[in-house]
Structure formats: structure tokens, C-alpha cells
Amino acid sequence: MMKKWLSWLRDAMIPRRQTKREFARDMAITLVLLGAAALFCAMLNMIGDSDSAVPLVFVLAVLLTARFTDGYFYGLFATVASVFGVNYAFTYPYFEFNFAITGYPFTFLTMFAVSLVVGMLTEQVKRQGRIEAEVEREKMKANLLRSVSHDLRTPLTGIIGSSNVMLEQYDLLSDEEKKELVEHVREDAQWLVRLVENILSITRIKDGVVQLKKSPEVAEEIIAEAVGKFRKNRKMPVHVKLPDEMLMIPMDATLIEQVLVNLMENVVIHAEGATEIRISISRIEENQVQFCVEDNGKGIDEDILPKLFEELFPHAKEKNADGRRSMGIGLSACMSIVKAHGGDMYAQNRPEGGARVRFVLPTEEEKKNGGQG
């Protein structure tokens, strides 16, 4: 029982996964906050009597310590340091420890209890947030596994079926039938390549965040690369509309190209009646650029729109038993990539017919993402 209690206390006070660098960072935060509280209280003492305000200032320092550090240890350390610091530096007689002052034991215990409870409650809230984030990550992994299993099985089954027919009935097939079977194998292989590319994109998600390799890129060049890849395998016309100005955007070029290719592929596979694709790019705000992919098909079912960027679609199998209408991880991967860039993605039906999928990227690197790479 004692070992279990000690193990729980160790895990609660300092997380096992915390590195020396993280420990040094959290300890520095704790000392800076305590130092700032002490400096502020010293200024209050110079102004006038501030005995009643000093404990509250240090309680605030404990609260901030618990908020910006990981584990109970730093909050407890700040609590003890605050209690003894207030007694030594901010309680008469100054710069002496004196716990025999009338009423001070009660003040001591009250401040210690308040600081301790505040720190523990703050850490509990943070832990609950981490638990919820872990649940979401596990849910995402489970959905991704189901989607990958389903989407990989379909093209592989097609390739195996067509190749078996070729091997077993080669002499009985006409040249036209052989050509048709080879074409089916080629289409399924291309489909498989696109799925693998999407899976590789998803594998760059760590702890729910896509790991980016950002650099300033010319948006027009990214579109040109994506359209070039698309045209190698598809014959559907693509019309591109570019702005007069050159737009530089911090991005992971490979992943944004994959997003654009996925959106064009979805038009070919899912946009019923579509005969062309239109891609445009424009600045919608001073620090935002919009990419837009449109088609002239029949549009997206209104029931599907709210779920368009989810990992799996219940309606996909209902529409086509061979699974070719399943959007699989393609659009969910696109959304994850765009979100990781600090942008967002939207879908809607065009009033004149067809669908429009657009995503917005910031043109300036956010400070919090500055270290990604």
C-alpha cells in the first residue's frame, strides 16, 4: 500500500515523461512568478500598509504557477515558498521568522490551504483536459484504422480479381477485353497510390497535430504542381484563375499539394455529371488567402455536407457497393492538414450548380508555430 501511495505521489508531483529541460523550464516559471510577486509586494510596502494584500498576491502567484507548469510539485513548492516568504519578508518583524504572532498560525494555515487547494484544482482541470484530448486521439486513431482498412481493401480486391481473370482465361479473352482488364488494374493501382499518399500524410499527425515542414512558398507554383500531378492521370479539364499579385504563404508545400490533388480527385470520383474543374486563389483579407476548387456537377447532398470532412461516410456504401464512392481518409486528411496550417476548410453547393470546396490559409506565420519543422 505504501509503495502504491508513493508511486501515485511521484506521478502526481512530477510527471514521469518530463525531461530535464522541461523541469528547468517549469522551475524557472515558478521562480519568476514568485519573484514577480515578491517585487510587487515590496513596491506595495513602499507605498503604504499592504499586509492584507500580500497573501492574496502570493495566492495569485501560486495559481499562475499551477496554470503554467506541469504537475503538483511546482504548485506545492510555490505554496510553501509563499507561506514562509510572507512570514519572513512581509510580516512584522520583517526579515525574521516569527510564527508566534497573534493570529498568525490561523493565517498561515488558511493561506497554505487556499494555495494548496487552488493549485490542486488547477492541476486537476489540466489533467482532465489531457484525458479528454487523449480520448479524442484514440477515437481518431480508431476511425482512421477502420477507414484505411476499408479503402485499401477495395482497390486490392479489384487488382487481384482482374489479374486472376487475365491469368485463368487469357486465351479466351479478346484483345479488347484484355485491354479493359489492364485498364481496370491501372485505375485501381492509381487509386491505391493516392490512398497511400493520404496515409503517409496522416502518419505525420502526432498527438493530434500534423508535423509541418513550413517554408515561404509561392501559391501559384503550388497550384501549378498540383494540377500537373492531376493531369498525369486524369483527362478532366482544369481551369485555373490566378490573382495579379504574387502570394507568398508559409506552408508545407508537399501537404498543400496533396490537399489540392485530393479535392480534384474527389470531383472526378464523386461529382456526378461534372465535366470540368475550376481552381482559383484570392486574397480575402490582409493576412488570409483562399484556395477554391469548384465543379459543374450536381452538387453535394445536403445531408452529407455537415459530415463531409469526417473520416467515414455511412452513405458511401449505399451509393455504390464497390466502395468507389467512399471518400475515406482523403477529406479528413485535407482538413487536418489545413487546420495544422492555422486555416480552415468549407464546402457548399454553388447556386448555379455544382459544388465548391475552399480552404483558407494565413499569409503570416503565427508565433506559436514558429518552431515547427
Side-chain angles (χ1 to χ4, degrees):
M1 179 65 71
M2 180 61 70
K3 288 183 178 180
K4 289 183 179 180
W5 188 86
L6 290 174
S7 176
W8 175 88
L9 183 62
R10 178 186 60 190
D11 293 345
M13 291 182 68
I14 303 179
R16 291 180 181 179
R17 295 182 181 178
Q18 196 169 43
T19 63
K20 291 181 179 179
R21 184 175 181 178
E22 291 170 336
F23 174 81
R25 179 203 63 197
D26 285 347
M27 182 56 71
I29 291 173
T30 303
L31 295 176
V32 167
L33 288 171
L34 290 175
L39 182 61
F40 183 73
C41 290
M43 293 174 61
L44 289 179
N45 276 350
M46 294 175 61
I47 296 173
D49 185 15
S50 60
D51 289 351
S52 59
V54 167
L56 296 177
V57 172
F58 276 91
V59 168
L60 177 61
V62 171
L63 173 62
L64 294 175
T65 299
R67 168 64 181 82
F68 293 107
T69 58
D70 190 16
Y72 289 122
F73 170 76
Y74 307 100
L76 290 172
F77 176 83
T79 297
V80 174
S82 296
V83 169
F84 283 94
V86 169
N87 180 274
Y88 182 77
F90 300 104
T91 302
Y92 185 83
Y94 300 114
F95 302 106
E96 291 182 16
F97 287 112
N98 186 356
F99 295 100
I101 301 172
T102 303
Y104 188 79
F106 178 76
T107 302
F108 175 93
L109 292 175
T110 301
M111 182 181 173
F112 186 85
V114 169
S115 300
L116 184 61
V117 170
V118 167
M120 293 181 68
L121 287 177
T122 303
E123 181 60 25
Q124 286 288 352
V125 170
K126 288 162 59 179
R127 286 198 169 210
Q128 184 63 34
R130 290 195 290 268
I131 291 172
E132 291 176 357
E134 183 64 28
V135 170
E136 286 299 316
R137 284 196 292 271
E138 292 302 320
K139 181 180 177 181
M140 182 188 71
K141 290 177 182 178
N143 289 338
L144 185 60
L145 181 60
R146 287 196 298 270
S147 182
V148 168
S149 300
H150 173 266
D151 283 359
L152 287 179
R153 188 183 301 115
T154 303
L156 288 173
T157 300
I159 292 171
I160 293 171
S162 297
S163 59
N164 282 340
V165 172
M166 287 280 288
L167 289 173
E168 296 171 3
Q169 304 182 31
Y170 187 83
D171 294 332
L172 301 177
L173 296 173
S174 65
D175 290 342
E176 188 63 31
E177 289 172 329
K178 293 175 184 177
K179 183 179 179 181
E180 185 178 349
L181 286 171
V182 172
E183 180 65 24
H184 287 163
V185 171
R186 186 176 74 92
E187 290 179 356
D188 285 332
Q190 290 173 345
W191 183 10
L192 192 58
V193 168
R194 292 191 296 273
L195 287 173
V196 171
E197 288 175 345
N198 286 334
I199 293 170
L200 291 175
S201 298
I202 290 294
T203 59
R204 292 172 64 175
I205 296 179
K206 180 181 180 181
D207 294 334
V209 178
V210 180
Q211 304 302 295
L212 303 179
K213 298 178 181 178
K214 283 187 177 183
S215 61
E217 302 286 349
V218 179
E220 293 86 339
E221 293 180 0
I222 301 301
I223 290 180
E225 288 289 333
V227 172
K229 289 181 180 179
F230 174 78
R231 284 174 173 164
K232 288 180 180 179
N233 301 315
R234 299 293 185 180
K235 297 180 180 179
M236 184 175 289
V238 180
H239 306 284
V240 180
K241 182 181 179 182
L242 301 175
D244 295 331
E245 62 175 322
M246 184 177 72
L247 299 174
M248 294 289 293
I249 305 174
M251 67 169 75
D252 188 315
T254 301
L255 292 182
I256 295 300
E257 283 179 20
Q258 185 65 34
V259 169
L260 291 167
V261 172
N262 278 4
L263 295 180
M264 289 185 283
E265 290 287 349
N266 279 333
V267 172
V268 175
I269 299 170
H270 308 295
E272 188 177 351
T275 59
E276 65 177 12
I277 300 172
R278 294 184 179 276
I279 297 182
S280 62
I281 179 173
S282 60
R283 186 187 295 274
I284 57 175
E285 291 184 13
E286 181 63 27
N287 61 344
Q288 287 189 329
V289 169
Q290 175 179 274
F291 294 76
C292 189
V293 178
E294 300 176 315
D295 65 73
N296 61 344
K298 293 187 176 180
I300 304 171
D301 190 327
E302 294 294 336
D303 294 333
I304 296 173
L305 275 173
K307 310 179 230 179
L308 195 63
F309 300 109
E310 294 180 3
E311 288 86 354
L312 285 173
F313 282 70
H315 72 279
K317 295 181 183 178
E318 297 172 5
K319 289 195 171 185
N320 195 325
D322 67 4
R324 287 182 180 270
R325 295 190 65 80
S326 173
M327 297 188 187
I329 64 173
L331 288 179
S332 65
C334 290
M335 175 62 87
S336 296
I337 291 168
V338 171
K339 289 277 191 182
H341 281 78
D344 210 343
M345 182 173 281
Y346 313 90
Q348 61 188 133
N349 286 317
R350 302 166 63 208
E352 61 272 32
R356 175 186 296 118
V357 179
R358 56 192 179 89
F359 62 93
V360 177
L361 297 181
T363 58
E364 296 179 0
E365 182 71 63
E366 295 181 9
K367 291 183 180 180
K368 66 179 179 180
N369 292 332
Q372 284 180 331

